[in-house]
Amino acid sequence: MQISQHVELKFVTQVGGESEITKSFSWLQALLNQILMLYLKIRLIISEKLNKDVILSGASPEQAAEEVNKIVVAAGKKTWS
């Protein structure tokens, strides 16, 4: 038995058989949607806080938006590289 077949068999067994696979994927999709929504809410809160802080440091709202965008992009590159 190849490794991929073993992993597939183990997965099918863990979810309760082939008939339960669709339910498992539906549950996983719902969970991933919740995680994505939580991530987006957190990112929005952080961006708003950063924006306020940059404005308080003397930047215009336009400059603040630009600086926050730079910070977010830099953080993303650091995280995913």
Side-chain angles (χ1 to χ4, degrees), residues 6 12 15-16 20-21 32 39 47 49 51 62 69-70 75:
H6 176 72
V12 171
V15 297
E20 298 297 314
I21 290 175
L32 291 174
Y39 166 79
S47 293
K49 174 74 171 123
N51 195 53
E62 293 80 18
N69 188 50
K70 288 178 188 177

Side-chain angles (χ1 to χ4, degrees), residues 46-72:
I46 291 170
S47 293
E48 288 174 350
K49 174 74 171 123
L50 284 170
N51 195 53
K52 286 179 186 176
D53 289 347
V54 173
I55 290 172
L56 287 174
S57 73
S60 70
E62 293 80 18
Q63 291 170 323
E66 194 174 308
E67 289 302 313
V68 168
N69 188 50
K70 288 178 188 177
I71 292 168
V72 170

Side-chain angles (χ1 to χ4, degrees), residues 14-81:
Q14 285 179 342
V15 297
E18 290 184 17
S19 62
E20 298 297 314
I21 290 175
T22 303
K23 291 179 190 175
S24 294
F25 285 136
S26 296
W27 177 84
L28 180 59
Q29 182 180 7
L31 178 62
L32 291 174
N33 285 339
Q34 289 177 350
I35 291 169
L36 176 62
M37 291 308 297
L38 180 59
Y39 166 79
L40 292 174
K41 286 178 185 178
I42 291 170
R43 186 179 182 279
L44 179 62
I45 290 168
I46 291 170
S47 293
E48 288 174 350
K49 174 74 171 123
L50 284 170
N51 195 53
K52 286 179 186 176
D53 289 347
V54 173
I55 290 172
L56 287 174
S57 73
S60 70
E62 293 80 18
Q63 291 170 323
E66 194 174 308
E67 289 302 313
V68 168
N69 188 50
K70 288 178 188 177
I71 292 168
V72 170
V73 169
K77 286 181 180 178
K78 183 177 178 182
T79 299
W80 299 110
S81 61

